Structure formats: structure tokens, C-alpha cells
Amino acid sequence: MQPLNLPTYKFRIKSSENKHFIFDIIRKKYMILTPEEWVRQHFIHYLIEEKKYPISLIAVEKKLTINKLTKRTDILVFNNKGVPNIIVECKAPSVKITQETFDQIARYNLKLDANYLITTNGLEHFYCKMDTKNEQYIFLKNIPAYSDN
């Protein structure tokens, strides 16, 4: 897998029947190692190891229903009261982050009402704080560490 614009981490990777799998410490199981999963696992470790978010507050592929359609957030981080705080949308490194990506995560946020939205393809990361009063995104250089929330 290609290097990403994130710190490197030690992952548990295994091969079986010509497929590669990566261990997800949140779901506690091996997942097929796709380019998007590579980005997701890096970002999970980034949140835990660099930003110090507790594993217990992170959900992966959390189901939500929007207009009778079932969707899944790539990464959802809750605050210590169990309220959604950060939604992360991961794309494969080959996928360009576009307005459509922001629209997707914004639709999820209509339901979840998180404070921060992040879109990443592992190479580019966009961090936004929601300004619900003025109905706009405020782009940030990074997201706050857990201790700063």
C-alpha cells in the first residue's frame, strides 16, 4: 500500500487466499485491506495515538438512516457524554476530495449534528468546525486533541 500523509503505525496485516487483511482495533477483527481501509486504519490510529481520543469513544461504519436509506459513517467519534463530536469520511488515495465528498458528510451531519467534519484520502485532509449559528463550515488546520474538547 502506498505511503500516506499521516504518521506510520504498526499494523497487524495477514494474507489468506491471495487477499490481504488489516486488523481493525475498533471492530476487533481483520478487514479486507482496500485502499480506503488503509486510509481509515491510519486515521483511526492518528486519532488514538496523536490526538489521544479514547478507543471507547470511536465507532467505525456506524449505521444511520437518511431518507429511508441506510448509510454508514467511516469513523464517528463521540464526546464523553455519548454525543457525536467528529465525523470522518475516508476515501482511497486515488479519489480526489471534492464538493460531493463534503455534501456526503454534510448530509450525515444533518442527522448526527457533530461539531467537526473531516474528509481525507490519506494524502489530503480537510478539517471543518461546524458553525451552526451561521450555517457554515470553518476550515481548520487540524482538529483539537481530545483533551482540548
Side-chain angles (χ1 to χ4, degrees), residues 2-54:
Q2 81 178 80
L4 302 176
N5 185 15
L6 287 162
T8 55
Y9 301 103
K10 289 187 188 243
F11 295 107
R12 288 167 39 197
I13 295 175
K14 70 177 186 177
S15 297
S16 176
E17 298 176 14
N18 293 329
K19 290 184 183 166
H20 298 291
F21 298 84
I22 188 167
F23 190 77
D24 182 330
I25 61 172
I26 305 297
R27 293 177 278 187
K28 295 182 173 41
K29 64 181 183 178
Y30 281 92
M31 306 305 298
I32 293 175
L33 182 52
T34 62
E36 183 178 320
E37 193 64 43
W38 183 242
V39 172
R40 181 177 14 240
Q41 292 306 315
H42 272 80
F43 213 87
I44 288 168
H45 283 261
Y46 174 75
L47 289 168
I48 294 165
E49 295 183 32
E50 313 306 323
K51 296 298 181 175
K52 306 299 183 198
Y53 284 88

Side-chain angles (χ1 to χ4, degrees), residues 24 47 51-52 56 66 69 80 83 87 95 118 122 125-126 129 131 148:
D24 182 330
L47 289 168
K51 296 298 181 175
K52 306 299 183 198
S56 60
I66 300 172
L69 297 173
N80 57 9
V83 176
I87 305 170
V95 176
I118 300 169
H125 322 290
F126 296 93
K129 180 169 179 31
D131 179 355
D148 297 334

Side-chain angles (χ1 to χ4, degrees), residues 12-124:
R12 288 167 39 197
I13 295 175
K14 70 177 186 177
S15 297
S16 176
E17 298 176 14
N18 293 329
K19 290 184 183 166
H20 298 291
F21 298 84
I22 188 167
F23 190 77
D24 182 330
I25 61 172
I26 305 297
R27 293 177 278 187
K28 295 182 173 41
K29 64 181 183 178
Y30 281 92
M31 306 305 298
I32 293 175
L33 182 52
T34 62
E36 183 178 320
E37 193 64 43
W38 183 242
V39 172
R40 181 177 14 240
Q41 292 306 315
H42 272 80
F43 213 87
I44 288 168
H45 283 261
Y46 174 75
L47 289 168
I48 294 165
E49 295 183 32
E50 313 306 323
K51 296 298 181 175
K52 306 299 183 198
Y53 284 88
I55 288 177
S56 60
L57 298 181
I58 300 173
V60 175
E61 293 201 327
K62 182 92 172 126
K63 232 190 262 189
L64 65 145
T65 305
I66 300 172
N67 298 328
K68 299 182 182 174
L69 297 173
T70 300
K71 302 290 185 183
R72 293 180 192 276
T73 59
D74 283 321
I75 303 169
L76 182 58
V77 182
F78 297 90
N79 67 17
N80 57 9
K81 294 179 176 62
V83 176
N85 188 37
I86 302 169
I87 305 170
V88 183
E89 180 61 30
C90 300
K91 299 294 184 193
S94 61
V95 176
K96 190 166 172 36
I97 304 293
T98 64
Q99 184 63 48
E100 192 176 309
T101 312
F102 280 101
D103 292 347
Q104 177 184 358
I105 201 169
R107 279 192 301 277
Y108 293 174
N109 204 36
L110 289 173
K111 186 88 168 182
L112 296 169
D113 197 27
N115 294 317
Y116 299 93
L117 305 180
I118 300 169
T119 57
T120 181
N121 62 8
L123 304 173
E124 290 185 293

